[in-house]
Amino acid sequence: MEPQPTAAQPTPAQAIETVFRLQAPRVIAGVARIVRDVGIAEELAQDALVAALERWPRDGVPDNPGAWLLATARHRAVDLVRRREVYARKLAEIGRDLETTAPPEEPADPDGIDDDLLRLVFTACHPVLSPQARTALTLRLLGGLTTAEIARAVLVPEATVAQRIVRAKRTLAARNVAFEVPYGPDREARLGSVLDVIYLIFNEGYAATAGDDWLRPGLCEDALRLARVLSGLMPGEPEVHGLAALLEFQASRAPARTAPDGTPVLLKDQDRGRWNRMLIARGVRALERAGATAAGPPGPYALQAAIAACHARAYTYEETDWRAIAALYGLLAARAPSPVVELNRAVAVSMADGPQRGLELVDALAAEPALRGYHLLPSVRGDLLSRLGRTAEAREEFRRAAELTRNERERALLRRRADQPSG
C-alpha cells in the first residue's frame, strides 16, 4: 500500500502546483518571446502544468522543474506557431535553430536588459492599456495572482479585475504590441506603471493576500531584481532609485517577519538583529541616489523609502522616530493621496500623539468605499482600541479583521489577538 500524504508531506499535485506558481512568470515570459501574445503564452504555460501533472507523478520530478516547464511550454509554442498560418511570419523571425536552442533561464548579464521578465512587465504596461488594466494583467502574469487576490490587492470587485485582464490580453493581441523593453520616450511613458506593478508584486510576496504562507519569497526576489535592473537601466530617474531603496529596506526585514513555524511576527516584536544590514546599506545608497537625481520634491516611492529608512535606523522599536514618519506620511498623502496611505498615517500619528488621535483619524476613514472589506482597517482599529483599554471593542475588531483576510497565517494571528487583545 502506498503511503498516504500527511500535513507535512504534500501530495504530488500540490507539490507540482507550488513549483508552477513559483516558475509560471518565467515560463510565460519565455514563451511570450516566441508567440508574441501574452494570452496565448499563459495558456501554453497552463498546458505545461497539465503535462507535469500527468508525467511527474509517474516519472518523478525532474532535477530542474522550471527548465522542464519552460521547455515543454516552448515546444508547444513552436508547434502552435508552425500549425497556424497567421504565425508563419513570426516563425521566420524566430529562426531555424529554435528547436535546438533553448532560451536561458536567466539573462547572461544580470544587469542587462535582455530579460524576459522585464520585457513582460513593459509589454503588459503598454500605453494602449488603461493603468488599471496594466496593473491587473501584470499581477496576473508575473505575480501569478488569482483574480480574487488581485481584487483584494487593488481594492476593486473581482468581476472588474477579470474583465480588465481579458480585455487587456485582447487589446495587446489586436494591436500586435511588440514584446520588448522600449527605448527613449516610449520607455519613460510606461515607467510609472512598471514601477507600480513591481511594487505590487513585491507586496504580494511580502504579505500574501491569500493562502497558507505569510511570505512568498520568490515574488520578493523577482521584484527586487527587476527594480535593481531598472536602476541600472535608468540611472537618471529618481523614482526608480526610490522604488529600489524601498524594496531593499523592506526585504531587509524578511528574516525577522516570521517565527520558525511560519507564524507572522509583528513589527514591534521583531528581532532587529536579524534584519539584513547589507540590504539596509543598499537601501541607503539607493535613497541617496534618488535624492541626488531629483530636480524637485521627492516622489511617492522616495517618500516611502524615507519612511522605511526611519524604521531601519531604529535599532529598537522604542527608538523609532514616529513624528518624522507621520510627517513623511503627510507629504505622501499630499503627493499620492489614497485611503491606505491615510490609514498608515493614522498609525504613525497614534504612535507620535497617542492612540486616541490615531483612532479619530481611522474612524474618519470608515466610510471610504475602497476600504470596505479591507482587513487592515479593523485590525488597526482593534490595535488602537486595545491601547486605549477598550478590550471588548478591540476583540470584536480583531475578529472582524480575521473574517476578512484570506491568508491563513494572518487569520490565525488576528484570532490570537482577539483572544488576547492587550497582548
Side-chain angles (χ1 to χ4, degrees):
M1 179 179 291
E2 294 184 2
Q4 297 299 309
T6 65
Q9 178 187 347
T11 66
Q14 289 172 330
I16 292 167
E17 288 175 7
T18 298
V19 170
F20 180 78
R21 187 159 190 172
L22 292 172
Q23 298 295 332
R26 288 185 173 85
V27 175
I28 293 170
V31 174
R33 179 149 59 92
I34 298 172
V35 297
R36 311 288 177 176
D37 184 310
V38 294
I40 293 175
E42 187 178 19
E43 292 174 6
L44 291 170
Q46 290 289 340
D47 287 346
L49 170 62
V50 173
L53 289 169
E54 292 173 350
R55 299 181 192 178
W56 292 4
R58 181 190 66 211
D59 302 335
V61 177
D63 293 336
N64 191 331
W68 190 98
L69 289 168
L70 178 57
T72 300
R74 179 178 167 277
H75 289 152
R76 293 181 183 224
V78 173
D79 290 341
L80 178 63
V81 170
R82 285 179 168 163
R83 281 198 309 268
R84 297 186 178 181
E85 289 184 0
V86 70
Y87 290 119
R89 177 180 56 81
K90 296 179 182 180
L91 179 60
E93 293 173 358
I94 294 166
R96 295 183 176 275
D97 63 342
L98 185 59
E99 242 180 353
T100 57
T101 305
E105 290 185 65
E106 295 289 343
D109 177 6
D111 295 321
I113 64 170
D114 186 17
D115 185 307
D116 286 339
L117 285 175
L118 195 59
R119 292 173 192 269
L120 184 57
V121 174
F122 272 97
T123 301
C125 290
H126 196 280
V128 298
L129 304 178
S130 70
Q132 297 84 358
R134 298 173 205 169
T135 298
L137 182 61
T138 312
L139 288 177
R140 172 68 180 165
L141 297 179
L142 273 95
L145 276 65
T146 65
T147 53
E149 291 169 340
I150 297 169
R152 295 182 69 81
V154 299
L155 305 178
V156 298
E158 185 175 343
T160 302
V161 170
Q163 290 175 354
R164 287 175 183 173
I165 292 172
V166 170
R167 290 172 182 167
K169 292 176 183 177
R170 289 175 180 168
T171 300
L172 291 176
R175 298 291 188 90
N176 197 26
V177 170
F179 185 66
E180 64 182 5
V181 177
Y183 290 86
D186 288 344
R187 182 187 296 171
E188 295 173 5
R190 302 188 210 180
L191 181 60
S193 292
V194 169
L195 295 181
D196 289 345
V197 296
I198 290 175
Y199 183 46
L200 286 170
I201 289 168
F202 182 90
N203 278 345
E204 179 59 25
Y206 194 69
T209 56
D212 297 327
D213 296 320
W214 174 239
L215 300 177
R216 294 174 62 187
L219 290 182
C220 290
E221 291 167 5
D222 279 344
L224 185 54
R225 184 173 62 81
L226 290 172
R228 289 171 177 170
V229 168
L230 277 181
S231 291
L233 186 63
M234 309 181 75
E237 290 289 341
E239 276 293 80
V240 172
H241 298 305
L243 176 64
L246 174 60
L247 301 195
E248 299 282 7
F249 285 131
Q250 296 290 74
S252 73
R253 304 181 202 167
R257 294 190 71 242
T258 56
D261 63 355
T263 302
V265 179
L266 298 174
L267 178 63
K268 66 179 181 178
D269 299 322
Q270 289 176 17
D271 176 4
R272 299 192 176 205
R274 298 184 64 202
W275 287 9
N276 188 317
R277 308 312 297 185
M278 182 189 72
L279 293 181
I280 290 174
R282 290 183 65 106
V284 169
R285 290 194 295 272
L287 186 56
E288 289 173 348
R289 286 193 291 271
T293 54
Y301 286 115
L303 286 169
Q304 291 179 77
I307 291 168
C310 289
H311 290 292
R313 293 189 189 102
Y315 283 88
T316 66
Y317 186 74
E318 292 71 23
E319 294 175 16
T320 307
D321 189 346
W322 288 107
R323 290 199 178 279
I325 292 175
L328 287 166
Y329 269 121
L331 294 174
L332 181 60
R335 186 70 187 270
S338 85
V340 174
V341 170
E342 290 293 350
L343 182 61
N344 287 328
R345 186 172 77 88
V347 173
V349 168
S350 78
M351 298 302 297
D353 298 329
Q356 182 58 46
R357 176 57 184 146
L359 184 61
E360 292 169 3
L361 295 175
V362 169
D363 286 347
L365 297 170
E368 283 286 347
L371 295 182
R372 188 176 297 119
Y374 187 53
H375 72 284
L376 291 182
L377 180 63
S379 176
V380 168
R381 196 168 188 274
D383 184 68
L384 296 174
L385 289 167
S386 176
R387 289 165 56 193
L388 288 167
R390 295 161 61 176
T391 303
E393 294 171 86
R395 183 175 287 115
E396 289 304 312
E397 291 295 326
F398 286 131
R399 285 173 180 162
R400 186 159 72 93
E403 292 173 358
L404 290 173
T405 185
R406 296 179 64 182
N407 183 279
E408 294 301 326
R409 294 289 187 176
E410 194 169 20
R411 180 178 288 119
L413 172 65
L414 289 165
R415 285 173 175 168
R416 284 196 300 275
R417 298 200 74 188
D419 292 337
Q420 298 177 325
S422 59

